[in-house]
Amino acid sequence: MADINMEGLEPIITDKETGETHRPIVIAGPCSAESEEQVMNTARELSDAGVRIFRAGIWKPRTRPGGFEGVGVVGLPWLRRVKEETGMLTSTEIANRFHAEAAIDAGVDILWIGARTSANPFAMQEIADVLAERRFSNPVLVKNPVNPDLDLWIGALQRLYNAGIRRLGAIHRGFSAYGHHIYRNLPQWHIALELRRRLPQLPIITDPSHIGGKRELIAPLSQQALDMGFDGLIIESHCNPDAAWSDASQQITPEALHYILSTLVLRDERASTENLAMLRREIDRIDNDLLEVLSRRMRVCREIGRYKKEHSMPVVQAKRYGDIMNDRVKAAVDMHMGAEFMRTVLSAVHEESVRQQINILNGDDIKE
Ligand code: PEP
Ligand code: MN
């Protein structure tokens, strides 16, 4: 691949604009702007919690028709009011020429391109053309495309760079995958780390809300992102998350956000050697792969459970278990792992597989 030339990138946010001097950059606000009251209540609480950049989706890309598609242009004056009353910078997602023009005309400070749009070079070029025509000089952030294609992500960023955008940044929001996973979108951290390696001057903001899809994953994902040296966080926060019109399960109250931010530790990267940091990242990736592999194994076990149920077969077949143990322990020893260690791991995995199959026999199946 040809060298990527993105000389002269400028900071997306200056300390002067936010009154802050530290990493991480924090962007927070509801998934969607729903009403003026919801926007203003959330914004005031976030501002009190120290957040300086507000997000709210005005146009929402829904996977299937019939969902809430955003309030549209009526919501733009609400963002202006947020800016006037709280002094926060405002940001929203744009996906086409119309959105870009309307958001610029309404004085939105920061624009971001969503994951479905960054996967579409025609839409990216259309947006880049509008921003060039309007000589847009404010920050633009590009979410990773839904599919794990780093070149497509870089291509989207390049279109904006070629349109004169210098306050450019990336948002890592994870990648779609078929089936059930711990995450809503698999983080695949190595892709974001590779983006960093190829474009070291490009700020990368992590979106733990869309990676995790659940409230309880926001804190650990945010800490992981900081540990990997990423520059900021974009977190969905709503004054009444349970009542949110979109992405309710991943939104947190401004109070919870404030608490999470206060627990995050910004480790001094220089204190640990770069090699050690890289090896730790490798361990994080491998552990993640291990979890994925285990969850795939459980899925197959559940399939077997359904088959056994249909054919009235017993869950545990002793001979099969014995064979698995012997084969795997021998292989593990060949791979320089202790036999006892492997027996412990296999018996724990087996126990969980049996538990899942028994659930199925008892009629407690899960939708795959
Ligand atoms: C969003 O930020 O609300 C959104 C729609 O995100 P994504 O493009 O990452 O799915
Ligand atoms: Mn969302």
Side-chain angles (χ1 to χ4, degrees), residues 85-285:
E85 290 188 22
T86 68
M88 279 193 273
L89 299 175
T90 57
S91 63
T92 201
E93 170 175 345
I94 55 163
N96 58 31
R97 168 176 285 272
F98 171 74
H99 298 163
E101 290 189 330
I104 295 171
D105 290 342
V108 177
D109 299 293
I110 300 171
L111 305 179
W112 85 77
I113 316 291
R116 293 152 193 80
T117 309
S118 64
N120 177 351
F122 291 127
M124 280 312 305
Q125 195 54 52
E126 178 180 313
I127 292 167
D129 291 343
V130 186
L131 300 182
E133 280 161 33
R134 303 290 295 252
R135 298 189 191 288
F136 192 69
S137 57
N138 282 14
V140 185
L141 308 174
V142 182
K143 288 202 169 193
N144 64 258
V146 277
N147 51 324
D149 184 338
L150 179 56
D151 285 336
L152 196 56
W153 194 2
I154 292 177
L157 288 157
Q158 274 177 314
R159 286 177 201 277
L160 297 177
Y161 180 86
N162 292 345
I165 302 297
R166 291 296 175 271
R167 297 176 74 185
L168 194 57
I171 299 176
H172 171 217
R173 52 77 82 194
F175 301 88
S176 301
Y178 184 68
H180 277 274
H181 301 272
I182 313 160
Y183 303 109
R184 175 176 177 191
N185 292 296
L186 305 186
Q188 308 221 48
W189 294 105
H190 58 285
I191 299 179
L193 289 165
E194 178 60 15
L195 177 65
R196 159 111 326 156
R197 199 186 64 76
R198 290 212 215 160
L199 288 169
Q201 68 282 41
L202 182 82
I204 301 179
I205 293 175
T206 307
D207 178 344
S209 308
H210 290 89
I211 293 177
K214 342 178 166 50
R215 291 171 196 161
E216 59 273 25
L217 289 179
I218 306 283
L221 284 166
S222 299
Q223 186 61 58
Q224 268 180 290
L226 297 188
D227 291 347
M228 282 184 236
F230 294 123
D231 307 277
L233 300 166
I234 177 165
I235 300 181
E236 287 189 342
S237 177
H238 189 294
C239 57
N240 184 3
D242 288 333
W245 297 359
S246 59
D247 289 351
S249 58
Q250 69 195 32
Q251 301 209 58
I252 55 176
T253 60
E255 193 188 355
L257 177 81
H258 182 63
Y259 174 73
I260 290 173
L261 293 177
S262 76
T263 64
L264 295 179
V265 184
L266 252 186
R267 299 191 173 92
D268 185 353
E269 282 269 327
R270 284 161 305 182
S272 62
T273 69
E274 183 52 22
N275 279 349
L276 190 57
M278 292 219 342
L279 289 169
R280 286 186 175 142
R281 281 173 212 149
E282 185 67 18
I283 289 283
D284 287 342
R285 287 202 288 275

